[in-house]
Amino acid sequence: MGKYGWSLPVAASSYAGKIDFGIWLIHAAMLGIFVLWGTFFVYLLVKFRARPGHNAVREDHDDTPARISVPDSISKFPFAQMLYKNKGELKSLIPDMVIMTFEVALIVFYAIPVWSSIKASVPEVKDPIRVEIVSEQFGWNIHYAGPDGKLGPRKMELTHFSNPIGLDVAHADSADDVVMGNEMRLPVDRTVVIDLLSKDVIHSFFIPEFRLKQDAVPGLNIPMWVTPTKTGKFEITCAQLCGFAHSLMRGDVHVQTQEEFDAWYKSRLATIPASAQPTNPAEEF
Amino acid sequence: MAHDEHAHGGHELSFMERYVFSVDHKVIGLQYLITSFIFLLVGFALMGLMRWQLAFPGTPIPFFGGLFPSDLAPNGVMSGEFYNSLGAMHGTIMVFLGVVPLAVGAYGNYVLPLQIGAPDMAFPRMNMMSYWTYLPGGILMLASFLMPGGAAQSGWTSYPPLSIINPGQTVWLLSMVILITSSLLGAINFLVTTINMRAPGMSLWRLPVFVWAQFVTSVLLLLAFPPLEAASVLQLMDRVFHTSFYLPKDLVILGQAYAGSGGGQPLLWQHLFWFLAHPEVYVLVLPPMGIVAEIIANNTRKPLHGYKTMVFSMIAIGLMSFMVWAHHMFISGMSASLSNFFLVTTMIISVPSVALMTCLVFSLKGGSIRFNVPMLFALAFIPLFAIGGLTGLPLGLTVTDIYLHDTYYVIGHFHFVVVSGSIIALMGGTYYWFPKWYGRKMNDTLGRIHFWGTTTTMVGIFLPMLFMGLGGASRRLYDPTAQLHNLPVQGWNVVATYSAYLLALFQIPFIYNFFNSMWNGEKTPENPWQATTLEWACPSPPPHGNFEKTPTVYRGPYEYSVPGRKTDFWMQTDKN
């Protein structure tokens, strides 16, 4: 079980650190802004509190009659008259400018590149684990493509409680496929490329330690990927309301060494009837 | 008097005409006020039940557990279906029956015509109709609890296909259509009133900020609600006539092929819904901001800092709010590269929001700040709303949203915005305009107890949610302890629950104060706050028709502490 606590859970995927960096950076900035503004706010409240002998002092504002004389050197420029008259107000836009600069930097140097690498594209890896996850009320079916890297086809009419994803076992691509319910096994440090689907309503596949979250929408095949970096058992949870037993929709992902994973996969394949065995049962992947 | 001919040709009004089916914007405003406060309490009570389940899952609800039918709460323990109903109805009631009618229906109706110097709304009968559409819609919404299978269970967002297959949703959709119609009627009325009914001299740049806020809000309602109304009708057809606007083919529901599934797309609903629901957030926030601006200008005794900046910011927010909806959908499965566009627009909309907040804070500078009860609420709005705004940043940023989306962090964020932002400001508005409504003041000591109790317990509810969200705790879980990753932060659920019950206790002084002051409060003069805006230039409460004679406006809304004058306020109607 991963460690949880007051703040972010342990980071167990290749991109978890990048997401955490953003979360901490923004929170540090937020705290800074809040403390600075809060101090200024309290200072204003104390300094300008109503008390005998203290009167409010007006500042020049939009409706003030034009009693400001703008120096000639400034009035030459277009809009200078207007800008000069409102210079008090413009000064108050400085905090806005600071925050905007921070946000632009976040967008350009952080959000867009990192988002593109996590969500907008699946990395080109030589030998990914191929998995299809078919979610339903209230469980996760994990369908491994197996050594051939090809997912066996599914047909809705074959769906049965003994075959929840409707896998066409007669098809050649299905021969080395393994389907698991609510239990996922992954070798550590290998990229897994996942197609996320749903049979009924919208679910959301969430593994907090991986910082992996993606809605599963019926009718769509949504790609996602992750590279686990720590061995151990982590929780898979559904993050989107999916019905009365939503809180019971959970599973476990076991991140193992490559050897443990291979041994497990072989033991799963052995339970499949002989006719459906791959042509070369000794083949490793 | 002249205003008696205004709507009824001089005859005596019967009780029904005067208090029930009234066309007077002030009566309608107070009807909205009381009704929406009651709905807020109902929504709050639903939350109280949910909070028990979240803090102590699987234990019988104390006191009330036995009152529920056994299919909803067997042995007094809430079922998953019932929990989901409470969640959906809490959200719907708070947003569509509580805050919006309070902010727009109550304050807008009562104050806006007075502040622009109008005798009434442009279409008084349509105004009455919008209230009498809202109330039945609201009652229908509540009545859905009596449906077989209970009320709607798909969250206030009502995402299909879940919403198509769940019970209770048909009534939810019907009442949404009715409520949207009510809001549309109101929005049209506000727009026409603001444009056409302003008193002589009341130019656009002399409108109080509150009127601007209501104006922008009405534009948002007018443009955002029709898509949701259409979307709701489509969803209703999916449910009732088995069309499949939102259902893809090959749906298998609990092991059975679903007959109604065709060539639809569940994400279509999400786009249509959030196209309304994001502007809706600003509908919830702008009027309270207007109220805060009014109260701050009045109690600093100086003009607002950056009146025009505030107005332009509100207009900018209004325009931008239609371009940010899909930031609710970063991980929904829509095109991942499209997210970059909504990331940028979402960050841009924070610019005018920061400008508005900056103006409010700078308005304090150089003032002579009076700390009366309305001002306390207005001041508390600033830091609490700031927390809400700031915590929006990691949710608006695509990358960090991957982790925080659908966690308690989101709940903490929007409750800081809407509850400790909007509702705090709206409560301040009640204390501020109460003398106008009833010619009496609310009790100061009770007001202060209410203020300090409410603000501290609110922080006690919503701050733990932010911690829980960072810990990864998912929202909408009927039993958070069923998932291991929630266990370490479960203690925060208990803290939040007790804070919520304390918050309920601290509303008692408010409710008592409100009704007691209505009859027994200290009598006040016409302009007790020494304010400058037009609503204080007529008797309290104003008679039918509002002003003895049409007022003329000579200056901007916040002429406080003008040098060389005897008093520190200069009303908009005073010629000299």
Side-chain angles (χ1 to χ4, degrees):
Chain A
M1 202 66 239
K3 282 207 176 62
Y4 303 102
W6 278 47
S7 74
L8 298 176
V10 71
S13 79
S14 59
Y15 49 64
K18 291 183 188 170
I19 294 180
D20 292 359
F21 167 78
I23 292 177
W24 291 130
L25 178 71
I26 293 174
H27 279 82
M30 254 188 230
L31 201 69
I33 293 169
F34 189 73
V35 169
L36 274 176
W37 268 107
T39 315
F40 182 56
F41 179 66
V42 173
Y43 161 79
L44 291 178
L45 291 184
V46 174
K47 174 149 192 218
F48 296 106
R49 69 189 186 279
R51 54 195 186 272
H54 172 85
N55 292 321
V57 182
R58 288 164 64 89
E59 56 192 303
D60 293 322
H61 63 103
D62 309 320
D63 268 10
T64 312
R67 54 186 172 78
I68 305 160
S69 57
V70 179
D72 284 349
S73 52
I74 292 176
S75 61
K76 281 194 298 236
F77 297 102
F79 302 113
Q81 199 89 14
M82 206 168 78
L83 289 175
Y84 192 81
K85 190 178 150 200
N86 296 322
K87 70 183 195 312
E89 251 179 69
L90 289 175
K91 248 190 265 172
S92 68
L93 291 177
I94 291 172
D96 223 343
M97 298 303 154
V98 173
I99 291 178
M100 203 166 75
T101 313
F102 174 66
E103 285 178 351
V104 168
L106 268 182
I107 293 175
V108 175
F109 298 110
Y110 175 70
I112 292 180
V114 178
W115 173 261
S116 304
S117 70
I118 296 176
K119 285 282 182 192
S121 60
V122 173
E124 300 272 333
V125 281
K126 200 162 76 297
D127 185 23
I129 309 270
R130 289 264 298 142
V131 177
E132 181 182 64
I133 295 176
V134 183
S135 49
E136 62 178 303
Q137 288 176 318
F138 296 92
W140 307 100
N141 299 295
I142 292 115
H143 174 198
Y144 287 87
D148 67 354
K150 287 180 188 158
L151 290 157
R154 302 186 304 117
K155 288 180 177 158
M156 194 193 72
E157 57 274 18
L158 295 175
T159 308
H160 183 254
F161 70 89
S162 63
N163 183 4
I165 65 167
L167 183 66
D168 181 3
V169 286
H171 196 278
D173 289 347
S174 309
D176 62 345
D177 288 12
V178 161
V179 180
M180 301 292 294
N182 291 328
E183 184 187 330
M184 190 173 185
R185 300 212 176 220
L186 295 174
V188 70
D189 291 328
R190 261 186 80 183
T191 301
V192 50
V193 176
I194 304 170
D195 289 332
L196 188 60
L197 301 108
S198 168
K199 281 160 71 174
D200 39 37
V201 303
I202 298 174
H203 303 276
S204 188
F205 187 84
F206 180 31
I207 302 175
E209 289 85 350
F210 290 1
R211 313 287 188 271
L212 167 65
K213 189 180 283 158
Q214 178 60 56
D215 281 5
V217 182
L220 292 185
N221 183 340
I222 301 163
M224 58 180 189
W225 68 277
V226 66
T227 311
T229 54
K230 281 193 169 69
T231 54
K233 185 174 142 193
F234 308 107
E235 190 166 43
I236 306 171
T237 153
C238 179
Q240 180 63 268
L241 182 68
C242 62
F244 63 93
H246 165 56
S247 70
L248 301 177
M249 183 163 170
R250 60 172 300 285
D252 291 306
V253 52
H254 302 256
V255 182
Q256 303 171 312
T257 60
Q258 183 71 45
E259 295 75 40
E260 285 170 329
F261 176 76
D262 289 343
W264 169 79
Y265 200 83
K266 239 184 253 173
S267 73
R268 292 304 306 176
L269 271 182
T271 63
I272 296 174
S275 62
Q277 285 290 339
T279 43
N280 178 8
E283 184 185 309
E284 289 286 337
F285 77 104
Chain B
M1 283 182 292
H3 54 253
D4 267 350
E5 276 97 34
H6 166 63
H8 48 85
H11 77 89
E12 270 300 300
L13 289 171
S14 69
F15 179 84
M16 289 292 275
E17 282 173 310
R18 191 182 287 272
Y19 295 112
V20 183
F21 295 104
S22 174
V23 291
D24 184 349
H25 72 98
K26 300 182 290 293
V27 178
I28 296 170
L30 292 177
Q31 285 174 327
Y32 263 115
L33 184 88
I34 305 281
T35 319
S36 52
F37 266 127
I38 291 172
F39 277 123
L40 282 179
L41 283 175
V42 172
F44 188 87
L46 301 185
M47 180 273 270
L49 292 173
M50 289 163 75
R51 283 245 62 96
W52 179 266
Q53 169 66 24
L54 288 169
F56 311 106
T59 54
I61 306 160
F63 313 119
F64 309 107
L67 298 177
F68 300 108
S70 58
D71 56 330
L72 294 183
N75 302 319
V77 180
M78 188 181 292
S79 67
E81 288 91 336
F82 190 34
Y83 177 84
N84 287 349
S85 285
L86 291 174
M89 296 301 276
H90 168 73
T92 311
I93 289 173
M94 287 303 201
V95 172
F96 294 105
L97 298 173
V99 181
V100 174
L102 183 60
V104 181
Y107 291 104
N109 248 317
Y110 202 108
V111 177
L112 182 137
L114 288 173
Q115 281 195 334
I116 63 172
D120 204 325
M121 296 284 270
F123 308 118
R125 269 170 213 287
M126 198 161 103
N127 201 15
M128 176 178 85
M129 184 176 161
S130 74
Y131 175 77
W132 284 104
T133 316
Y134 155 67
L135 185 63
I139 292 172
L140 184 64
M141 185 66 83
L142 284 186
S144 70
F145 272 112
L146 306 174
M147 289 294 288
Q153 296 171 11
S154 315
W156 81 285
T157 53
S158 195
Y159 282 1
L162 186 67
S163 59
I164 311 288
I165 60 171
N166 262 349
Q169 203 74 30
T170 306
V171 177
W172 187 90
L173 288 163
L174 277 173
S175 45
M176 283 303 285
V177 170
I178 295 172
L179 290 168
I180 292 168
T181 308
S182 156
S183 281
L184 281 176
L185 293 175
I188 293 164
N189 218 339
F190 282 119
L191 292 175
V192 176
T193 306
T194 313
I195 292 167
N196 284 340
M197 307 272 288
R198 282 170 288 132
M202 182 58 97
S203 64
L204 287 180
W205 290 122
R206 286 177 177 174
L207 289 175
V209 171
F210 178 75
V211 175
W212 272 112
Q214 290 286 347
F215 187 79
V216 175
T217 301
S218 300
V219 174
L220 297 187
L221 288 173
L222 186 72
L223 298 181
F225 261 139
L228 184 70
E229 184 147 16
S232 299
V233 172
L234 296 188
Q235 197 179 107
L236 202 60
M237 286 166 74
D238 270 11
R239 281 183 65 84
V240 180
F241 305 119
H242 303 294
T243 54
S244 56
F245 291 102
Y246 304 121
L247 299 179
K249 63 181 175 57
D250 290 351
L251 277 190
V252 181
I253 309 283
L254 291 169
Q256 300 289 318
Y258 189 73
S261 82
Q265 169 54 273
L267 289 187
L268 171 61
W269 167 267
Q270 296 191 20
H271 282 292
L272 293 171
F273 180 85
W274 289 114
F275 186 76
L276 155 96
H278 200 84
E280 179 80 1
V281 174
Y282 293 99
V283 169
L284 300 171
V285 164
L286 287 176
M289 268 198 176
I291 293 175
V292 168
E294 297 294 302
I295 296 176
I296 285 187
N298 176 246
N299 288 301
T300 54
R301 315 307 293 165
K302 63 182 271 294
L304 281 177
H305 177 93
Y307 167 84
K308 280 188 182 168
T309 310
M310 291 183 81
V311 172
F312 282 127
S313 297
M314 288 196 283
I315 294 171
I317 286 177
L319 293 174
M320 288 298 300
S321 69
F322 287 102
M323 286 184 270
V324 299
W325 78 88
H327 70 224
H328 299 264
M329 298 170 63
F330 284 153
I331 63 158
S332 70
M334 72 171 190
S335 157
S337 34
L338 187 61
S339 297
N340 289 328
F341 170 77
F342 287 99
L343 158 72
V344 173
T345 53
T346 303
M347 291 294 147
I348 292 174
I349 204 170
S350 72
V351 172
S353 313
V354 173
L356 269 172
M357 294 302 283
T358 312
C359 285
L360 288 178
V361 174
F362 271 57
S363 294
L364 300 170
K365 206 175 151 216
S368 169
I369 304 168
R370 305 189 301 207
F371 292 95
N372 51 33
V373 176
M375 186 60 167
L376 288 177
F377 279 95
L379 291 174
F381 169 89
I382 293 174
L384 294 176
F385 183 82
I387 298 177
L390 287 169
T391 49
L393 275 178
L395 296 171
L397 208 67
T398 44
V399 179
T400 42
D401 183 61
I402 296 174
Y403 177 69
L404 294 170
H405 190 86
D406 275 333
T407 64
Y408 261 93
Y409 197 90
V410 182
I411 304 199
H413 154 69
F414 77 69
H415 281 84
F416 264 113
V417 171
V418 175
V419 184
S420 22
S422 297
I423 294 185
I424 280 280
L426 293 168
M427 282 170 170
T430 300
Y431 287 94
Y432 183 65
W433 280 309
F434 194 88
K436 178 50 46 189
W437 301 336
Y438 298 108
R440 291 168 190 273
K441 233 178 176 145
M442 286 174 84
N443 181 291
D444 197 60
T445 313
L446 288 175
R448 280 167 203 275
I449 294 171
H450 174 225
F451 168 76
W452 289 107
T454 303
T455 44
T456 46
T457 50
M458 274 178 182
V459 174
I461 305 173
F462 306 131
L463 207 55
M465 291 181 173
L466 297 178
F467 300 146
M468 285 161 67
L470 284 174
S474 294
R475 58 194 282 208
R476 307 196 196 90
L477 291 180
Y478 151 69
D479 180 357
T481 60
Q483 307 216 350
L484 299 173
H485 74 279
N486 288 332
L487 291 178
V489 289
Q490 177 61 11
W492 287 120
N493 255 328
V494 181
V495 174
T497 297
Y498 282 124
S499 301
Y501 295 159
L502 280 176
L503 175 60
L505 285 182
F506 279 114
Q507 302 319 299
I508 294 171
F510 175 62
I511 297 165
Y512 171 79
N513 196 359
F514 187 93
F515 288 104
N516 188 48
S517 306
M518 233 156 125
W519 292 288
N520 305 321
E522 180 198 334
K523 282 208 170 140
T524 55
E526 198 173 277
N527 187 1
W529 308 114
Q530 304 189 301
T532 50
T533 41
L534 284 189
E535 79 268 34
W536 304 104
C538 60
S540 307
H544 200 119
N546 297 343
F547 297 91
E548 306 273 330
K549 66 179 188 38
T550 308
T552 310
V553 174
Y554 297 100
R555 65 190 57 76
Y558 308 113
E559 290 300 317
Y560 290 102
S561 303
V562 178
R565 285 187 64 81
K566 212 158 63 233
T567 54
D568 70 347
F569 65 107
W570 197 0
M571 293 200 78
Q572 286 185 282
T573 48
D574 287 348
K575 195 162 183 188
N576 304 304

